[in-house]
Amino acid sequence: MTAKLLDGKALGLAIRQEVAADVARLAKAGIKPGLAVVLVGEDPASQVYVRSKGKACEEAGMHSVTIRLPDATSQDELLATIDRLNADPAIHGMLVQLPLPKGMDSDRVLRRIDPRKDVDGFHPENVGKLVTGDPTAFRPATPYGIQQMLIRSGIETSGAHAVIVGRSNIVGKPMANLLIQQGPGGNATVTVCHSRSRDLPSLTRQADILIVAIGKAEFCTADMVRTGAVVIDVGINRVDDPSRERGYRLCGDVAFEEVAAVASAITPVPGGVGPMTIAMLLKNTLQAAELSRTA
Ligand code: GUN
């Protein structure tokens, strides 16, 4: 391997320590930032993420509430839960873990969250603020974490060609919006590719910074990567592996070994983007608590 490893675990920890210091400062003003995480159903990966979010919150000195609702919960019950959290002064930020069970209207659910508590940044009001470059927008945690990782690793985005593979509302679209903004971690030229893009390898090979968020195990191979590119792997996929006690292994959307041989820097999975996402969620919760003081 020749690529430098971008250590999301260490960078995420540093951000969490910064957040913890700010939380301690707010405590002197009598404010304890509170985050509520709502999980509907039993999706195993979501359960892991939700547990990690709650634990990180507590470690930063924040108030943490996790609400687990059964798979059979009606949409009206979920909306009523959101209304209750919207009205709860101890809760400054909330998120509803996605994906929601089949039959639920995610758009309707996300719109019900008070935009001032929408620490995921998925409410249309925050999406609009992000697109227009309003600094009070909550930035979705995964792309925000990737941007911080680039900044803190000294990777220049200004003038760089960033190619994003995947156009989701959670990663691809907000990532593009962050990278084209003016300022640190911005000023990039951005291409967004997706399942209908023609000749994908010819596009990805143009990337100085390649961000892969497509949800397919080891999809991005070395032939898709220009020598010296920075590669950010957003995927976390479970692949059957009978040799492991738990029966599976985790891998990203990038074929790590072969791509690490051509890239100049790469994120591992796990330990890359994931810990940055959690750190930025805490940062957004802190931002929500600070905003509530002036509201
Ligand atoms: N599912 C996968 N990523 C996310 C995220 O960032 N927020 C929420 N709410 N659900 C997710």
Side-chain angles (χ1 to χ4, degrees), residues 46 49 53 95-99 120 122 141-142 170 277:
S46 291
Y49 301 146
K53 288 171 183 178
L95 66 88
V96 176
Q97 186 67 26
L98 301 175
D120 256 338
F122 295 162
T142 299
I170 296 178
T277 297

Side-chain angles (χ1 to χ4, degrees), residues 115-251:
R116 292 166 299 185
K117 297 192 177 189
D118 170 38
V119 285
D120 256 338
F122 295 162
H123 188 287
E125 185 173 316
N126 282 310
V127 176
K129 282 182 170 181
L130 178 70
V131 173
T132 54
D134 183 328
T136 66
F138 288 111
R139 287 158 275 193
T142 299
Y144 189 14
I146 292 168
Q147 187 185 46
Q148 281 298 310
M149 180 178 245
L150 295 171
I151 293 171
R152 291 172 186 241
S153 306
I155 294 164
E156 183 58 83
T157 55
S158 181
H161 187 186
V163 176
I164 301 164
V165 185
R167 56 176 157 181
S168 70
N169 291 338
I170 296 178
V171 184
K173 287 184 204 164
M175 187 79 256
N177 277 306
L178 284 172
L179 287 167
I180 59 173
Q181 300 294 345
Q182 294 183 9
N187 292 321
T189 302
V190 177
T191 299
V192 182
C193 310
H194 47 77
S195 54
R196 302 292 175 93
S197 294
R198 206 183 309 133
D199 194 4
L200 183 63
S202 76
L203 297 167
T204 57
R205 277 196 299 268
Q206 293 175 36
D208 301 308
I209 300 168
L210 179 60
I211 299 167
V212 190
I214 195 167
K216 288 187 182 160
E218 297 176 336
F219 172 85
C220 175
T221 45
D223 59 301
M224 297 170 73
V225 179
R226 191 179 58 73
T227 300
V230 172
V231 179
I232 308 291
D233 188 350
V234 186
I236 306 184
N237 307 289
R238 291 183 178 200
V239 176
D240 288 343
D241 185 346
S243 73
R244 306 277 174 113
E245 198 177 324
R246 57 186 181 183
Y248 66 88
R249 68 184 168 90
L250 290 179
C251 74

Side-chain angles (χ1 to χ4, degrees), residues 16-195:
R16 283 164 59 175
Q17 284 167 347
E18 292 164 20
V19 170
D22 285 337
V23 169
R25 212 166 301 131
L26 272 183
K28 293 199 183 100
I31 296 169
K32 184 167 184 159
L35 174 68
V37 177
V38 181
L39 172 62
V40 188
E42 314 281 323
D43 180 75
S46 291
Q47 286 179 345
V48 174
Y49 301 146
V50 163
R51 214 173 303 128
S52 305
K53 288 171 183 178
K55 187 163 166 269
C57 209
E58 282 164 17
E59 283 172 9
M62 294 181 177
H63 172 53
S64 163
V65 175
T66 303
I67 297 172
R68 292 183 171 82
L69 300 172
D71 201 45
T73 302
S74 71
Q75 180 158 305
D76 282 345
E77 285 172 90
L78 176 57
L79 293 175
T81 302
I82 293 171
D83 289 345
R84 189 164 51 75
L85 295 168
N86 279 339
D88 185 343
I91 298 300
H92 300 93
M94 83 167 94
L95 66 88
V96 176
Q97 186 67 26
L98 301 175
L100 283 169
K102 275 200 194 73
M104 285 218 190
D105 179 350
S106 304
D107 282 343
R108 179 140 184 249
V109 168
L110 296 176
R111 279 167 195 256
R112 192 69 161 241
I113 297 172
D114 183 334
R116 292 166 299 185
K117 297 192 177 189
D118 170 38
V119 285
D120 256 338
F122 295 162
H123 188 287
E125 185 173 316
N126 282 310
V127 176
K129 282 182 170 181
L130 178 70
V131 173
T132 54
D134 183 328
T136 66
F138 288 111
R139 287 158 275 193
T142 299
Y144 189 14
I146 292 168
Q147 187 185 46
Q148 281 298 310
M149 180 178 245
L150 295 171
I151 293 171
R152 291 172 186 241
S153 306
I155 294 164
E156 183 58 83
T157 55
S158 181
H161 187 186
V163 176
I164 301 164
V165 185
R167 56 176 157 181
S168 70
N169 291 338
I170 296 178
V171 184
K173 287 184 204 164
M175 187 79 256
N177 277 306
L178 284 172
L179 287 167
I180 59 173
Q181 300 294 345
Q182 294 183 9
N187 292 321
T189 302
V190 177
T191 299
V192 182
C193 310
H194 47 77
S195 54

